[in-house]
Coordinates of all heavy atoms in Angstrom, one line a residue:
P1 N 71.5 80.1 89.4 CA 70.1 79.6 89.8 C 70.1 78.1 89.9 O 70.7 77.4 89.0 CB 69.2 80.2 88.8 CG 69.8 81.5 88.4 CD 71.3 81.1 88.3
L2 N 69.3 77.5 90.7 CA 68.9 76.1 90.8 C 68.1 75.7 89.6 O 68.3 74.6 89.1 CB 68.2 75.9 92.1 CG 67.7 74.4 92.3 CD1 68.8 73.5 92.5 CD2 66.8 74.4 93.6
F3 N 67.2 76.5 89.2 CA 66.3 76.3 88.1 C 66.8 76.7 86.7 O 67.3 77.9 86.6 CB 65.0 76.9 88.2 CG 64.2 76.3 89.4 CD1 63.7 77.2 90.4 CD2 63.9 74.9 89.6 CE1 63.1 76.7 91.5 CE2 63.3 74.4 90.7 CZ 62.9 75.3 91.7
I4 N 66.8 75.8 85.7 CA 67.4 76.2 84.4 C 66.3 76.0 83.3 O 65.7 74.9 83.3 CB 68.6 75.2 84.1 CG1 69.7 75.5 85.2 CG2 69.2 75.6 82.8 CD1 70.9 74.4 85.1
P5 N 66.2 77.0 82.4 CA 65.2 76.7 81.4 C 65.5 75.5 80.5 O 66.7 75.3 80.2 CB 65.3 78.0 80.6 CG 65.8 79.1 81.5 CD 66.7 78.3 82.4
E6 N 64.5 74.7 80.3 CA 64.8 73.5 79.6 C 65.4 73.8 78.2 O 66.3 73.0 77.7 CB 63.5 72.7 79.3 CG 63.6 71.3 78.7 CD 62.3 70.6 78.6 OE1 61.4 71.2 78.1 OE2 62.3 69.5 79.1
S7 N 65.1 74.9 77.6 CA 65.6 75.3 76.3 C 67.2 75.4 76.3 O 67.9 75.2 75.3 CB 65.0 76.6 75.7 OG 65.2 77.6 76.7
Y8 N 67.7 75.8 77.5 CA 69.2 76.0 77.6 C 69.9 74.7 77.4 O 70.8 74.6 76.7 CB 69.5 76.6 79.0 CG 69.3 78.0 79.2 CD1 68.3 78.7 78.5 CD2 70.2 78.7 80.1 CE1 68.2 80.1 78.8 CE2 70.0 80.1 80.3 CZ 69.0 80.8 79.5 OH 68.9 82.2 79.8
L9 N 69.3 73.6 78.0 CA 70.0 72.3 77.9 C 69.9 71.8 76.4 O 70.7 71.1 76.0 CB 69.4 71.3 78.9 CG 70.0 71.2 80.2 CD1 69.6 72.4 81.1 CD2 69.7 69.9 81.0
N10 N 68.7 72.1 75.8 CA 68.5 71.6 74.4 C 69.5 72.2 73.4 O 69.5 71.7 72.3 CB 67.1 71.9 74.0 CG 66.1 71.0 74.8 OD1 66.5 69.9 75.3 ND2 64.9 71.5 74.9
R11 N 70.2 73.3 73.8 CA 71.1 73.9 72.9 C 72.3 73.1 72.5 O 72.9 73.2 71.4 CB 71.5 75.3 73.4 CG 70.5 76.3 73.5 CD 71.1 77.6 73.7 NE 70.1 78.6 74.3 CZ 70.5 79.9 74.5 NH1 71.6 80.3 74.3 NH2 69.5 80.7 75.1
E12 N 72.8 72.2 73.4 CA 73.9 71.4 73.3 C 73.5 69.9 73.3 O 73.2 69.3 74.3 CB 75.0 71.6 74.3 CG 76.4 71.6 73.9 CD 76.9 70.2 73.4 OE1 76.3 69.2 73.8 OE2 77.9 70.2 72.6
S13 N 73.4 69.3 72.1 CA 72.7 68.0 71.9 C 73.4 66.9 72.7 O 72.7 66.1 73.3 CB 72.7 67.6 70.4 OG 74.0 67.6 69.8
D14 N 74.8 66.8 72.7 CA 75.4 65.7 73.4 C 75.2 65.9 74.8 O 75.0 64.9 75.6 CB 76.9 65.8 73.1 CG 77.3 65.4 71.6 OD1 76.4 64.7 71.1 OD2 78.4 65.7 71.1
H15 N 75.2 67.1 75.3 CA 75.1 67.5 76.7 C 73.7 67.0 77.2 O 73.5 66.3 78.2 CB 75.2 68.9 77.0 CG 75.3 69.3 78.4 ND1 76.4 69.0 79.2 CD2 74.5 70.0 79.2 CE1 76.3 69.5 80.4 NE2 75.1 70.1 80.5
V16 N 72.6 67.4 76.5 CA 71.3 67.1 77.0 C 71.0 65.6 76.8 O 70.4 65.0 77.7 CB 70.2 67.8 76.2 CG1 70.1 67.5 74.8 CG2 68.8 67.8 76.9
E17 N 71.6 64.9 75.8 CA 71.4 63.5 75.6 C 72.0 62.7 76.8 O 71.5 61.8 77.3 CB 72.0 63.1 74.3 CG 71.8 61.6 74.0 CD 72.3 61.2 72.6 OE1 72.8 62.1 71.9 OE2 72.4 60.0 72.4
G18 N 73.2 63.2 77.2 CA 73.9 62.5 78.3 C 73.2 62.6 79.6 O 73.3 61.7 80.4
F19 N 72.5 63.7 79.9 CA 71.9 63.9 81.1 C 70.4 63.6 81.1 O 69.8 63.6 82.2 CB 72.0 65.4 81.6 CG 73.4 65.6 82.2 CD1 74.5 66.2 81.6 CD2 73.7 65.2 83.5 CE1 75.7 66.4 82.1 CE2 74.9 65.3 84.1 CZ 76.0 66.0 83.4
S20 N 69.7 63.5 80.0 CA 68.3 63.3 80.0 C 67.7 62.3 80.8 O 66.7 62.5 81.5 CB 67.8 63.2 78.5 OG 68.4 62.1 78.0
P21 N 68.3 61.1 81.0 CA 67.7 60.1 81.9 C 67.7 60.5 83.3 O 67.0 60.0 84.2 CB 68.5 58.8 81.6 CG 69.3 59.2 80.4 CD 69.6 60.6 80.4
E22 N 68.5 61.5 83.7 CA 68.7 61.9 85.1 C 68.0 63.2 85.5 O 68.0 63.6 86.7 CB 70.2 62.0 85.4 CG 71.0 60.8 85.1 CD 72.5 61.0 85.2 OE1 72.9 62.2 85.1 OE2 73.2 60.1 85.6
L23 N 67.3 63.8 84.5 CA 66.8 65.2 84.8 C 65.6 65.1 85.6 O 64.6 64.2 85.5 CB 66.5 65.9 83.5 CG 67.7 66.1 82.6 CD1 67.2 66.8 81.3 CD2 68.8 67.0 83.3
A24 N 65.4 66.1 86.5 CA 64.2 66.3 87.3 C 63.6 67.6 86.6 O 64.3 68.7 86.6 CB 64.5 66.6 88.7
V25 N 62.4 67.5 86.1 CA 61.8 68.7 85.4 C 60.6 69.2 86.1 O 59.8 68.4 86.5 CB 61.5 68.2 83.9 CG1 60.9 69.4 83.1 CG2 62.7 67.6 83.2
V26 N 60.5 70.4 86.2 CA 59.3 71.2 86.9 C 58.4 71.7 85.8 O 58.9 72.5 84.9 CB 59.8 72.3 87.8 CG1 58.6 73.0 88.5 CG2 60.7 71.7 88.9
T27 N 57.2 71.3 85.8 CA 56.2 71.8 84.8 C 55.1 72.7 85.4 O 54.4 73.3 84.6 CB 55.6 70.6 84.1 OG1 54.9 69.8 85.1 CG2 56.6 69.7 83.4
Q28 N 55.0 72.7 86.7 CA 54.0 73.6 87.4 C 54.7 74.5 88.5 O 55.6 74.0 89.1 CB 52.9 72.8 88.0 CG 52.0 72.1 87.0 CD 50.8 71.4 87.7 OE1 50.7 71.4 88.9 NE2 49.9 71.0 86.9
G29 N 54.1 75.7 88.6 CA 54.6 76.6 89.6 C 53.5 77.6 89.9 O 52.9 78.1 89.1
G30 N 53.3 77.8 91.3 CA 52.3 78.7 91.6 C 50.9 78.3 91.3 O 50.0 79.1 91.1
G31 N 50.7 77.0 91.1 CA 49.4 76.4 90.8 C 49.1 76.5 89.3 O 47.9 76.1 89.0
R32 N 50.1 76.8 88.5 CA 49.8 77.0 87.1 C 50.8 76.2 86.3 O 52.0 76.0 86.8 CB 49.8 78.4 86.6 CG 48.7 79.2 87.2 CD 48.8 80.7 86.7 NE 47.8 81.5 87.3 CZ 47.5 82.8 87.1 NH1 48.4 83.4 86.2 NH2 46.6 83.5 87.7
E33 N 50.4 75.8 85.1 CA 51.4 75.2 84.1 C 52.4 76.3 83.6 O 52.0 77.4 83.3 CB 50.6 74.7 82.9 CG 51.4 73.7 82.1 CD 51.4 72.3 82.6 OE1 50.6 72.0 83.5 OE2 52.3 71.6 82.2

């Protein structure tokens, strides 16, 4: 999938730290949070 739960990235600290400045995060879908 194109969409990945944010919690998945947070499991590997070095990985998420390396990519965090570049992430595009979706917080709303179908008109809801």
Side-chain angles (χ1 to χ4, degrees):
L2 175 67
F3 295 125
I4 302 172
E6 190 176 52
S7 59
Y8 280 32
L9 273 78
N10 290 333
R11 292 192 200 182
E12 218 292 339
S13 58
D14 289 341
H15 191 69
V16 70
E17 183 179 350
F19 279 104
S20 58
E22 303 173 331
L23 297 181
V25 182
V26 179
T27 59
Q28 290 189 351
R32 298 182 180 181
E33 195 80 14

